[in-house]
Amino acid sequence: MKSFLSCCLKRVKADYLEIRYEEVKVVGIHYVGKELEAIGESYEKGGGIRAKSRGGWSFVSFNDLSKLKDYLELATKGAHLIKGEEIKLASLPARNEVISVEVELDPADISLEEKYLLCNRYNKILLSGKEIQTSALRYADIHTTKYFINSEGTYIEQERIDTVLGMRAIARRGDNIQSAHMGIGGVGGYGLVKEKAEQAEETVKRAQDLLDAEPAKGGKYTIIVDPELSGVFAHEAFGHLSEADFLYEDKRLQKIMVLGRVFGPPGLNIIDEPRIKGEGGYYLYDDEGVPSQKTYLIKEGRLSGRLHSRETSAKMGEEITGNARAISYDYPPIVRMSNTYIAAGDKSFEEMIEGVGEGIYLKGFRGGQTNLEMFTFAPEEGYLIKKGRLHHKIRDLNLSGNIFNTLASIKAIGNDLVLFTGPGGCGKGGQSPLPVSTGGPHLQIRDVVVGGK
Amino acid sequence: MMKEILEMAAAYAEEAELYRVRSKSSEVIFEANRLKSIDSSFEEGIGLRIIKQGKIGFSSSTDLGQPRPLVKAASDSAQFGQKAHFHLPSADSTSSVECYDDSLISLSLEQMVREGRKAIDLILKEAPFLHCEGEVAKIEAEISILNTNGLSHSYKRTSYTFSLGAFLAEEGNFLGIGEGEASVKYHDWSSSVAQRILEAFRLTRKKGSISPGKHPVIFTSKAVPLLLQSLKQGINGKVLQKKISPLLGKIGKPVVSSFIDIFDDALFPFALATSPVDGEGIPSRRTPIIEEGVLKNFIYDLQTAGLMDTETTSNGARGYGSLPSPATSNFIVKEGKVPLQEMVKDIKEGIIVDQVIGSGQGNVLMGEFSVNLDLGYKVENGKIKGRVKDVMVSGNSYTMLNNVLALGSESRFIGTTRTPPIYFKEINVAG
């Protein structure tokens, strides 16, 4: 592959040129209720070319490698149609790397029948609850080989195996329908999804328990979030705002997001760290061939860094971080998070809840979104807190806050950091889902708006 | 090539079907008020579905030159697959539909750049401090379906999208306005999209505030799809089959306000989901979903219809990489008689919802929603007062659709949903 790509690359002229090519093999199993909706293996091969002229980019994606020469020409022609201010890329030493994957229990060595039997067993558990109406289960193992070559002499070949499992139990009592979800897996082998019967049972219990929960009452509350939501909070309520492509061309936003600005209490640290083995956002080189690294977004409450591509890094004169990622060959790399988490503090959960007169304890994750100023996230379930104790269960919660105030309203940071990965992931610029992990310790936050009746 | 693969598959199975997509797209991208990138894509893939010993098998690939692994994977898959409750269709006559525009093929990149540039310049002329980004894209796709029961159908479709966003970051007051148009046909949208952004921008220059509690509300066309999510799930035959649709047993009964009519219409001229046949080769049709507030139909693909002992409604949606599954095509909410201005005039204290964040995160199936108001306006004594932010709006979409005060007189397409603005009795505001 290397000699073929480099040979094609040499024939064309552009300021900068790169070719990414991917070979993907996916084994997927999908249950909805009793019915096995899909099972089997599929294959995808394709590439993406990025060419840069002095003042513009062109990106061409394709499936048919035999026409690579034509596509390269089209990309360089496209880029040259754009005249404008010069685009610079942060400089990078050329590299040659071939990274092969090592996993325990390679899913390729497990028969389709064994995978089927495992999913069938979990799905039966999901359907076993007395008030369970239906289920949804998605298993996938994905073997990806990525080739990267650019006109600066870099060649990187990376192999990766992801194994993920998502389980949902849907309970029904009359007109009341509630669901609970569990996502497991990440970068790694079949071991990640084996022996998860207990998690399936627990998902069933959560769905059934939600039938008895009371709908939340809207208003402002002191909340405590569990580590799963804490991670979503790190991702939605801050992470996206630290992606430099939102502000590298926007002077006003740069003034608002000046390094050193106080965002939260002194004990607050938010970190993006791609090189955590096994997590969804794990990678050694990003999709521009830049080595990944750990970046402090917030250090002791102050804005201390942001995530960059080669272009945003050069434009802002800040250190390159290796955060340009693409969900697949048919998209260009853009600035993305990897594994983003809030570092552990010193409070125990008991200490945290003791101080809450009336509030809400929130658990589990359904979704989250941001517009860079406001964020929302939806927990799966909650408990009303009264006089420092968990009271009854509540549901239909959706939270919202202002990124600039809410971090400052963090009043306690737990000592129990956990990272979460699984199927699903992050969406941005039409690219979804990108595998990421998020995590944090329990947090206590004041004055959060909870939507409800 | 397709015939050969199908023949190869037929040797393993009672029935086989190939679904192929080939598409070509060109896109010009503006970032920070300037032309930034010119992109193209050339995609190609096939999906092979078989029925082997009465069971469904499937596999897909982008590599048409390597049919053997594809056929083997589909055959292996059938070993565990779901029992087929249908036969693949044989050839049937289809009516001609408008899903292709010749003039789009000859549309030059330069022209697309000019129109994007023009729209951004119009915006910057009035509001030079806004940051605009935009995408102008054209796609041409060819879809072919071939099966062993004699069906062989191939058609081309085009689409043209023009979308623009304007962003302003002020301390404590971020603003993002997104507008766009999409159709099968080419049209110069630059002025109208820019005007819509400027109109919204002008309204946001003043601030409005609203007290927490229940208030009357107008959803703009752009915001209505948020409230239709639950209904779209509820009428899905697959959701019905799993007995988790709140619309179970409601055929022939009123489910929303009596003056609402909704159709699923894959024949609607020049709409994004218009096609001569669905993903299984079944001729497209117009299916009444709701007539005068009464539920008329659920939507089905072949397998779901088979399981439910009914007929497909030609809603088998798919890409090459997946089996068909029921999904709405063009979802048409019939317009009413009340102009937007009249709705506004009717409100003493209320809000207009235009953009939200956090949609789809709640219990969508049951109709529950609770979202942050990303772009919305306060209405006071019949006039728009200014932008409302930092509030959440929540409710139940089924309850709201049962409390419609008026349907707007002008519809527009938001993606594949065509809807007028809708005026509702109340929504809950928290903040």
Side-chain angles (χ1 to χ4, degrees), chain A residues 32 35-37 39 41 43 45 55 57-59 61 63 172 175 177 248-249 261 311 369 371 373 398 400 452, chain B residues 31 34 36 38-42 44 59-60 62 77 80 82 131 171 238 242-243 358 363 366 370 372 374 428:
Chain A
V32 181
E35 281 84 19
L36 182 60
E37 296 287 332
I39 182 166
E41 194 164 295
Y43 315 90
K45 288 179 188 177
W57 286 103
S58 178
F59 176 73
S61 67
N63 290 117
R172 171 170 197 161
D175 285 342
I177 300 168
Y248 78 118
E249 304 255 39
R261 175 174 176 149
E311 182 179 356
Q369 207 184 343
N371 63 4
E373 184 189 27
N398 207 348
S400 170
Chain B
E31 226 184 80
R34 57 167 283 196
K36 191 60 188 278
I38 293 181
D39 298 358
S40 320
S41 92
F42 301 85
E44 185 163 7
S59 181
S60 70
T62 54
S77 141
F80 308 101
Q82 195 182 141
H131 267 244
E171 188 77 52
K238 189 161 272 184
K242 309 298 174 192
K243 297 195 171 66
N363 191 341
M366 290 292 287
S370 178
N372 183 286
D374 179 39
N428 196 58

Short mmCIF file of all heavy atoms in Angstrom, two decimals, chain A residues 32 35-37 39 41 43 45 55 57-59 61 63 172 175 177 248-249 261 311 369 371 373 398 400 452, chain B residues 31 34 36 38-42 44 59-60 62 77 80 82 131 171 238 242-243 358 363 366 370 372 374 428:
data_model
loop_
_atom_site.label_atom_id
_atom_site.label_comp_id
_atom_site.label_asym_id
_atom_site.label_seq_id
_atom_site.Cartn_x
_atom_site.Cartn_y
_atom_site.Cartn_z
N VAL A 32 -33.95 -6.37 18.14
CA VAL A 32 -34.98 -5.50 18.68
C VAL A 32 -36.06 -6.44 19.19
O VAL A 32 -36.70 -7.14 18.40
CB VAL A 32 -35.56 -4.52 17.63
CG1 VAL A 32 -36.63 -3.64 18.29
CG2 VAL A 32 -34.47 -3.65 17.04
N GLU A 35 -36.85 -10.29 17.94
CA GLU A 35 -36.36 -10.46 16.57
C GLU A 35 -34.91 -10.05 16.40
O GLU A 35 -34.50 -8.97 16.81
CB GLU A 35 -37.22 -9.65 15.60
CG GLU A 35 -38.54 -10.30 15.25
CD GLU A 35 -39.62 -10.01 16.27
OE1 GLU A 35 -39.48 -9.04 17.04
OE2 GLU A 35 -40.60 -10.77 16.32
N LEU A 36 -34.17 -10.93 15.74
CA LEU A 36 -32.80 -10.62 15.35
C LEU A 36 -32.90 -9.80 14.06
O LEU A 36 -33.16 -10.32 12.99
CB LEU A 36 -32.03 -11.92 15.11
CG LEU A 36 -30.57 -11.78 14.74
CD1 LEU A 36 -29.80 -11.07 15.84
CD2 LEU A 36 -29.96 -13.14 14.48
N GLU A 37 -32.70 -8.49 14.17
CA GLU A 37 -32.91 -7.60 13.03
C GLU A 37 -31.79 -7.72 12.01
O GLU A 37 -32.01 -7.55 10.82
CB GLU A 37 -33.00 -6.15 13.50
CG GLU A 37 -34.18 -5.85 14.39
CD GLU A 37 -35.50 -5.84 13.62
OE1 GLU A 37 -35.47 -5.53 12.43
OE2 GLU A 37 -36.54 -6.16 14.23
N ILE A 39 -27.63 -9.54 11.39
CA ILE A 39 -26.43 -10.22 11.86
C ILE A 39 -25.52 -10.42 10.66
O ILE A 39 -26.00 -10.65 9.56
CB ILE A 39 -26.78 -11.58 12.53
CG1 ILE A 39 -25.51 -12.25 13.06
CG2 ILE A 39 -27.52 -12.52 11.57
CD1 ILE A 39 -25.75 -13.40 14.01
N GLU A 41 -21.42 -9.90 8.57
CA GLU A 41 -20.18 -9.19 8.36
C GLU A 41 -20.33 -8.27 7.16
O GLU A 41 -20.98 -8.63 6.18
CB GLU A 41 -19.11 -10.25 8.06
CG GLU A 41 -17.70 -9.78 8.14
CD GLU A 41 -16.74 -10.97 8.22
OE1 GLU A 41 -16.77 -11.71 9.22
OE2 GLU A 41 -15.97 -11.15 7.27
N TYR A 43 -18.12 -5.10 4.66
CA TYR A 43 -16.78 -4.63 4.29
C TYR A 43 -16.85 -3.23 3.71
O TYR A 43 -17.73 -2.93 2.90
CB TYR A 43 -16.16 -5.56 3.24
CG TYR A 43 -16.34 -7.01 3.57
CD1 TYR A 43 -17.46 -7.71 3.12
CD2 TYR A 43 -15.41 -7.67 4.37
CE1 TYR A 43 -17.64 -9.04 3.44
CE2 TYR A 43 -15.59 -9.00 4.69
CZ TYR A 43 -16.70 -9.68 4.23
OH TYR A 43 -16.88 -11.00 4.56
N LYS A 45 -14.18 -0.14 2.09
CA LYS A 45 -12.84 0.36 1.78
C LYS A 45 -13.01 1.72 1.14
O LYS A 45 -13.89 1.88 0.28
CB LYS A 45 -12.14 -0.55 0.76
CG LYS A 45 -11.70 -1.88 1.32
CD LYS A 45 -11.05 -2.68 0.22
CE LYS A 45 -10.77 -4.10 0.69
NZ LYS A 45 -10.20 -4.91 -0.39
N GLY A 55 -4.17 29.28 -0.50
CA GLY A 55 -5.26 29.90 0.27
C GLY A 55 -6.52 29.05 0.41
O GLY A 55 -7.55 29.58 0.83
N TRP A 57 -8.52 24.80 0.62
CA TRP A 57 -8.47 23.35 0.73
C TRP A 57 -9.37 22.71 -0.31
O TRP A 57 -10.32 23.31 -0.80
CB TRP A 57 -9.00 22.91 2.08
CG TRP A 57 -8.13 23.14 3.27
CD1 TRP A 57 -8.28 24.13 4.19
CD2 TRP A 57 -7.01 22.36 3.68
NE1 TRP A 57 -7.32 24.00 5.17
CE2 TRP A 57 -6.52 22.93 4.88
CE3 TRP A 57 -6.36 21.23 3.17
CZ2 TRP A 57 -5.43 22.41 5.57
CZ3 TRP A 57 -5.27 20.72 3.86
CH2 TRP A 57 -4.81 21.30 5.03
N SER A 58 -9.11 21.44 -0.56
CA SER A 58 -10.07 20.62 -1.27
C SER A 58 -10.01 19.23 -0.68
O SER A 58 -8.93 18.72 -0.37
CB SER A 58 -9.74 20.57 -2.76
OG SER A 58 -10.66 19.74 -3.42
N PHE A 59 -11.17 18.64 -0.50
CA PHE A 59 -11.23 17.29 0.05
C PHE A 59 -12.03 16.41 -0.91
O PHE A 59 -13.12 16.77 -1.33
CB PHE A 59 -11.90 17.30 1.42
CG PHE A 59 -12.07 15.93 2.02
CD1 PHE A 59 -10.98 15.25 2.52
CD2 PHE A 59 -13.32 15.32 2.05
CE1 PHE A 59 -11.12 13.98 3.05
CE2 PHE A 59 -13.47 14.04 2.58
CZ PHE A 59 -12.37 13.37 3.08
N SER A 61 -13.38 12.41 -1.42
CA SER A 61 -13.47 11.06 -0.86
C SER A 61 -13.96 10.09 -1.92
O SER A 61 -14.64 10.49 -2.88
CB SER A 61 -14.40 11.05 0.35
OG SER A 61 -15.73 11.31 -0.05
N ASN A 63 -14.48 5.52 -3.04
CA ASN A 63 -14.41 4.09 -2.72
C ASN A 63 -13.50 3.33 -3.67
O ASN A 63 -12.93 2.31 -3.31
CB ASN A 63 -15.80 3.46 -2.75
CG ASN A 63 -16.66 3.93 -1.59
OD1 ASN A 63 -17.69 4.55 -1.78
ND2 ASN A 63 -16.22 3.67 -0.38
N ARG A 172 -42.96 -1.33 30.17
CA ARG A 172 -44.25 -0.70 29.89
C ARG A 172 -45.28 -1.11 30.95
O ARG A 172 -45.38 -2.27 31.32
CB ARG A 172 -44.74 -1.13 28.51
CG ARG A 172 -46.16 -0.68 28.26
CD ARG A 172 -46.59 -0.87 26.83
NE ARG A 172 -47.78 -0.05 26.64
CZ ARG A 172 -48.26 0.35 25.49
NH1 ARG A 172 -47.64 0.04 24.38
NH2 ARG A 172 -49.34 1.08 25.43
N ASP A 175 -49.96 3.04 29.76
CA ASP A 175 -49.46 4.08 28.86
C ASP A 175 -48.06 4.57 29.23
O ASP A 175 -47.50 5.43 28.57
CB ASP A 175 -50.41 5.29 28.88
CG ASP A 175 -51.66 5.00 28.09
OD1 ASP A 175 -51.63 4.05 27.28
OD2 ASP A 175 -52.66 5.72 28.28
N ILE A 177 -44.28 4.21 29.37
CA ILE A 177 -43.20 3.44 28.74
C ILE A 177 -41.87 4.06 29.16
O ILE A 177 -41.67 5.27 29.01
CB ILE A 177 -43.32 3.45 27.20
CG1 ILE A 177 -44.65 2.83 26.77
CG2 ILE A 177 -42.16 2.70 26.57
CD1 ILE A 177 -44.99 3.04 25.31
N TYR A 248 -10.62 30.05 16.05
CA TYR A 248 -9.33 30.50 15.50
C TYR A 248 -9.46 31.64 14.51
O TYR A 248 -8.50 32.34 14.24
CB TYR A 248 -8.54 29.32 14.93
CG TYR A 248 -8.97 28.82 13.57
CD1 TYR A 248 -8.10 28.87 12.49
CD2 TYR A 248 -10.21 28.27 13.38
CE1 TYR A 248 -8.48 28.40 11.24
CE2 TYR A 248 -10.61 27.79 12.14
CZ TYR A 248 -9.74 27.86 11.09
OH TYR A 248 -10.12 27.39 9.86
N GLU A 249 -10.66 31.81 13.95
CA GLU A 249 -10.87 32.92 13.02
C GLU A 249 -11.74 34.01 13.63
O GLU A 249 -12.18 34.91 12.93
CB GLU A 249 -11.56 32.41 11.75
CG GLU A 249 -10.83 31.27 11.06
CD GLU A 249 -10.12 31.70 9.80
OE1 GLU A 249 -9.55 32.81 9.80
OE2 GLU A 249 -10.14 30.93 8.83
N ARG A 261 -8.25 32.69 31.85
CA ARG A 261 -9.55 33.10 32.35
C ARG A 261 -10.06 32.08 33.40
O ARG A 261 -9.94 30.88 33.22
CB ARG A 261 -10.55 33.18 31.19
CG ARG A 261 -11.97 33.49 31.67
CD ARG A 261 -12.92 33.72 30.52
NE ARG A 261 -14.28 33.92 31.05
CZ ARG A 261 -15.21 34.67 30.50
NH1 ARG A 261 -14.94 35.31 29.39
NH2 ARG A 261 -16.40 34.80 31.05
N GLU A 311 -3.78 23.42 11.33
CA GLU A 311 -4.14 24.75 10.84
C GLU A 311 -4.48 25.70 11.99
O GLU A 311 -4.00 26.84 12.02
CB GLU A 311 -5.34 24.65 9.87
CG GLU A 311 -5.71 26.01 9.31
CD GLU A 311 -6.88 25.95 8.33
OE1 GLU A 311 -7.37 24.85 8.02
OE2 GLU A 311 -7.31 27.03 7.88
N GLN A 369 -25.98 18.23 24.41
CA GLN A 369 -25.70 19.10 23.26
C GLN A 369 -25.24 20.46 23.76
O GLN A 369 -25.53 20.85 24.90
CB GLN A 369 -26.99 19.26 22.44
CG GLN A 369 -26.72 19.55 20.98
CD GLN A 369 -28.00 19.80 20.19
OE1 GLN A 369 -29.08 19.46 20.62
NE2 GLN A 369 -27.85 20.41 19.03
N ASN A 371 -24.39 24.77 22.34
CA ASN A 371 -24.24 25.77 21.28
C ASN A 371 -23.08 26.70 21.61
O ASN A 371 -23.04 27.83 21.16
CB ASN A 371 -25.54 26.54 21.05
CG ASN A 371 -25.97 27.35 22.27
OD1 ASN A 371 -25.26 27.41 23.27
ND2 ASN A 371 -27.12 27.97 22.20
N GLU A 373 -22.42 28.26 24.25
CA GLU A 373 -22.69 29.12 25.40
C GLU A 373 -23.56 28.36 26.40
O GLU A 373 -23.29 28.33 27.59
CB GLU A 373 -23.40 30.40 24.98
CG GLU A 373 -23.60 31.34 26.16
CD GLU A 373 -24.50 32.52 25.84
OE1 GLU A 373 -25.35 32.40 24.95
OE2 GLU A 373 -24.34 33.57 26.49
N ASN A 398 -34.23 16.94 32.05
CA ASN A 398 -33.29 17.46 31.07
C ASN A 398 -32.72 18.72 31.69
O ASN A 398 -33.46 19.55 32.21
CB ASN A 398 -33.97 17.75 29.74
CG ASN A 398 -33.00 17.67 28.58
OD1 ASN A 398 -31.78 17.62 28.78
ND2 ASN A 398 -33.52 17.66 27.37
N SER A 400 -30.07 22.14 31.82
CA SER A 400 -29.48 23.12 30.94
C SER A 400 -28.73 24.13 31.78
O SER A 400 -29.07 24.39 32.92
CB SER A 400 -30.61 23.78 30.15
OG SER A 400 -30.12 24.87 29.47
N GLY A 452 -38.97 20.73 33.17
CA GLY A 452 -39.98 19.76 33.62
C GLY A 452 -41.32 20.43 33.72
O GLY A 452 -41.48 21.57 33.31
N GLU B 31 -16.13 29.36 5.46
CA GLU B 31 -15.84 29.38 6.89
C GLU B 31 -15.34 30.77 7.21
O GLU B 31 -14.56 31.34 6.44
CB GLU B 31 -14.71 28.37 7.15
CG GLU B 31 -14.92 27.46 8.33
CD GLU B 31 -13.70 26.58 8.54
OE1 GLU B 31 -12.69 27.05 9.11
OE2 GLU B 31 -13.74 25.42 8.10
N ARG B 34 -15.31 33.38 4.50
CA ARG B 34 -14.56 33.21 3.25
C ARG B 34 -14.72 31.80 2.69
O ARG B 34 -15.05 30.86 3.40
CB ARG B 34 -13.07 33.50 3.50
CG ARG B 34 -12.46 32.63 4.58
CD ARG B 34 -10.96 32.72 4.59
NE ARG B 34 -10.41 31.92 3.51
CZ ARG B 34 -9.13 31.56 3.43
NH1 ARG B 34 -8.27 31.96 4.35
NH2 ARG B 34 -8.69 30.83 2.43
N LYS B 36 -13.56 28.38 1.85
CA LYS B 36 -12.50 27.66 2.53
C LYS B 36 -12.12 26.36 1.84
O LYS B 36 -10.96 26.00 1.77
CB LYS B 36 -12.97 27.35 3.97
CG LYS B 36 -11.91 26.83 4.90
CD LYS B 36 -10.78 27.83 5.04
CE LYS B 36 -9.61 27.28 5.81
NZ LYS B 36 -9.80 27.36 7.25
N ILE B 38 -13.26 23.23 -1.33
CA ILE B 38 -14.12 22.71 -2.40
C ILE B 38 -13.98 21.19 -2.36
O ILE B 38 -12.90 20.65 -2.59
CB ILE B 38 -13.71 23.29 -3.76
CG1 ILE B 38 -14.03 24.80 -3.75
CG2 ILE B 38 -14.43 22.57 -4.90
CD1 ILE B 38 -13.70 25.52 -5.03
N ASP B 39 -15.06 20.53 -2.02
CA ASP B 39 -15.00 19.10 -1.77
C ASP B 39 -15.81 18.29 -2.78
O ASP B 39 -16.79 18.78 -3.33
CB ASP B 39 -15.52 18.79 -0.36
CG ASP B 39 -14.68 19.45 0.74
OD1 ASP B 39 -13.68 20.11 0.39
OD2 ASP B 39 -15.02 19.30 1.92
N SER B 40 -15.40 17.05 -2.97
CA SER B 40 -16.17 16.14 -3.81
C SER B 40 -16.19 14.77 -3.16
O SER B 40 -15.29 14.44 -2.38
CB SER B 40 -15.54 15.94 -5.18
OG SER B 40 -15.03 17.13 -5.68
N SER B 41 -17.21 14.00 -3.48
CA SER B 41 -17.15 12.62 -3.04
C SER B 41 -17.72 11.70 -4.10
O SER B 41 -18.62 12.07 -4.87
CB SER B 41 -17.84 12.45 -1.69
OG SER B 41 -19.18 12.10 -1.88
N PHE B 42 -17.15 10.51 -4.16
CA PHE B 42 -17.55 9.49 -5.13
C PHE B 42 -17.78 8.21 -4.35
O PHE B 42 -16.82 7.56 -3.95
CB PHE B 42 -16.44 9.29 -6.17
CG PHE B 42 -16.12 10.54 -6.92
CD1 PHE B 42 -15.21 11.47 -6.41
CD2 PHE B 42 -16.75 10.81 -8.13
CE1 PHE B 42 -14.93 12.64 -7.10
CE2 PHE B 42 -16.46 11.98 -8.82
CZ PHE B 42 -15.56 12.90 -8.31
N GLU B 44 -19.75 4.45 -3.59
CA GLU B 44 -20.30 3.30 -4.28
C GLU B 44 -20.37 2.14 -3.30
O GLU B 44 -19.41 1.87 -2.59
CB GLU B 44 -19.36 2.95 -5.44
CG GLU B 44 -19.86 1.86 -6.31
CD GLU B 44 -19.10 1.82 -7.64
OE1 GLU B 44 -18.12 2.56 -7.81
OE2 GLU B 44 -19.52 1.04 -8.49
N SER B 59 -25.40 -8.88 3.75
CA SER B 59 -24.05 -8.35 3.88
C SER B 59 -23.90 -7.17 2.92
O SER B 59 -24.70 -7.00 2.01
CB SER B 59 -23.00 -9.42 3.55
OG SER B 59 -21.71 -8.87 3.71
N SER B 60 -22.88 -6.35 3.15
CA SER B 60 -22.67 -5.22 2.26
C SER B 60 -21.19 -4.99 2.03
O SER B 60 -20.35 -5.44 2.81
CB SER B 60 -23.30 -3.95 2.85
OG SER B 60 -22.56 -3.53 3.97
N THR B 62 -18.20 -2.19 -0.24
CA THR B 62 -17.92 -1.10 -1.17
C THR B 62 -17.06 -1.60 -2.32
O THR B 62 -16.73 -0.85 -3.23
CB THR B 62 -17.14 0.03 -0.47
OG1 THR B 62 -15.98 -0.53 0.13
CG2 THR B 62 -17.99 0.71 0.59
N SER B 77 -24.73 -15.30 7.37
CA SER B 77 -25.64 -14.52 8.19
C SER B 77 -27.03 -15.14 8.24
O SER B 77 -27.71 -15.12 9.27
CB SER B 77 -25.66 -13.08 7.63
OG SER B 77 -26.93 -12.52 7.66
N PHE B 80 -28.36 -17.55 10.99
CA PHE B 80 -28.89 -17.06 12.26
C PHE B 80 -30.05 -16.09 12.06
O PHE B 80 -30.66 -15.64 13.01
CB PHE B 80 -27.79 -16.34 13.05
CG PHE B 80 -26.54 -17.15 13.21
CD1 PHE B 80 -25.44 -16.91 12.40
CD2 PHE B 80 -26.50 -18.17 14.14
CE1 PHE B 80 -24.30 -17.67 12.53
CE2 PHE B 80 -25.35 -18.94 14.27
CZ PHE B 80 -24.25 -18.69 13.47
N GLN B 82 -33.39 -13.77 10.90
CA GLN B 82 -34.80 -13.79 11.24
C GLN B 82 -35.58 -14.52 10.14
O GLN B 82 -35.22 -14.45 8.97
CB GLN B 82 -35.27 -12.33 11.33
CG GLN B 82 -36.58 -12.13 12.00
CD GLN B 82 -37.00 -10.66 12.02
OE1 GLN B 82 -38.15 -10.36 11.85
NE2 GLN B 82 -36.07 -9.74 12.23
N HIS B 131 -20.09 36.29 12.00
CA HIS B 131 -19.23 35.29 11.37
C HIS B 131 -20.11 34.30 10.64
O HIS B 131 -20.91 33.61 11.27
CB HIS B 131 -18.42 34.57 12.43
CG HIS B 131 -17.09 35.19 12.64
ND1 HIS B 131 -15.92 34.55 12.37
CD2 HIS B 131 -16.76 36.41 13.09
CE1 HIS B 131 -14.91 35.35 12.64
NE2 HIS B 131 -15.40 36.49 13.08
N GLU B 171 -19.77 38.60 25.01
CA GLU B 171 -19.73 38.14 26.40
C GLU B 171 -21.16 38.04 26.95
O GLU B 171 -21.92 39.00 26.92
CB GLU B 171 -18.91 39.14 27.24
CG GLU B 171 -18.62 38.68 28.65
CD GLU B 171 -17.51 37.63 28.73
OE1 GLU B 171 -16.43 37.86 28.19
OE2 GLU B 171 -17.77 36.58 29.36
N LYS B 238 -42.61 -0.88 12.93
CA LYS B 238 -41.72 -1.68 13.77
C LYS B 238 -41.94 -1.37 15.24
O LYS B 238 -41.93 -2.28 16.08
CB LYS B 238 -40.26 -1.41 13.37
CG LYS B 238 -39.30 -2.34 14.03
CD LYS B 238 -37.97 -2.38 13.31
CE LYS B 238 -38.00 -3.44 12.22
NZ LYS B 238 -36.72 -3.58 11.56
N LYS B 242 -43.44 -4.00 18.14
CA LYS B 242 -42.84 -4.28 19.46
C LYS B 242 -43.78 -3.86 20.59
O LYS B 242 -43.42 -3.94 21.75
CB LYS B 242 -41.52 -3.53 19.61
CG LYS B 242 -40.52 -3.71 18.48
CD LYS B 242 -40.08 -5.14 18.29
CE LYS B 242 -39.21 -5.24 17.04
NZ LYS B 242 -38.96 -6.62 16.63
N LYS B 243 -44.96 -3.36 20.24
CA LYS B 243 -45.98 -2.96 21.21
C LYS B 243 -45.52 -1.85 22.15
O LYS B 243 -45.87 -1.83 23.33
CB LYS B 243 -46.46 -4.16 22.02
CG LYS B 243 -47.13 -5.23 21.17
CD LYS B 243 -47.90 -6.21 22.06
CE LYS B 243 -48.77 -7.17 21.28
NZ LYS B 243 -47.99 -8.11 20.45
N GLY B 358 -30.74 20.17 22.54
CA GLY B 358 -31.12 19.10 23.46
C GLY B 358 -32.32 18.31 23.00
O GLY B 358 -32.94 17.59 23.77
N ASN B 363 -37.70 11.17 26.75
CA ASN B 363 -38.47 9.98 26.41
C ASN B 363 -39.30 10.30 25.16
O ASN B 363 -40.48 10.60 25.23
CB ASN B 363 -39.36 9.62 27.60
CG ASN B 363 -40.00 8.26 27.44
OD1 ASN B 363 -40.07 7.73 26.33
ND2 ASN B 363 -40.47 7.70 28.54
N MET B 366 -42.67 8.53 24.23
CA MET B 366 -43.85 8.94 24.97
C MET B 366 -44.23 10.40 24.66
O MET B 366 -45.23 10.90 25.17
CB MET B 366 -43.61 8.81 26.47
CG MET B 366 -43.53 7.38 26.96
SD MET B 366 -45.13 6.56 26.83
CE MET B 366 -46.01 7.35 28.18
N SER B 370 -37.88 18.34 26.52
CA SER B 370 -37.45 19.39 27.42
C SER B 370 -36.13 19.92 26.87
O SER B 370 -35.14 19.21 26.83
CB SER B 370 -37.25 18.79 28.81
OG SER B 370 -36.78 19.77 29.69
N ASN B 372 -33.41 23.39 25.66
CA ASN B 372 -32.97 24.76 25.88
C ASN B 372 -33.35 25.60 24.66
O ASN B 372 -33.17 25.18 23.52
CB ASN B 372 -31.45 24.78 26.09
CG ASN B 372 -30.94 26.17 26.39
OD1 ASN B 372 -30.86 27.01 25.50
ND2 ASN B 372 -30.61 26.42 27.64
N ASP B 374 -32.58 27.85 22.13
CA ASP B 374 -31.36 28.36 21.50
C ASP B 374 -31.67 29.67 20.77
O ASP B 374 -30.90 30.62 20.82
CB ASP B 374 -30.86 27.28 20.51
CG ASP B 374 -29.62 27.69 19.77
OD1 ASP B 374 -28.74 28.32 20.38
OD2 ASP B 374 -29.51 27.37 18.57
N ASN B 428 -44.50 24.74 28.69
CA ASN B 428 -43.97 25.10 30.00
C ASN B 428 -42.59 25.73 29.87
O ASN B 428 -41.72 25.21 29.18
CB ASN B 428 -43.90 23.85 30.88
CG ASN B 428 -43.75 24.22 32.33
OD1 ASN B 428 -44.58 24.93 32.89
ND2 ASN B 428 -42.66 23.80 32.93
#
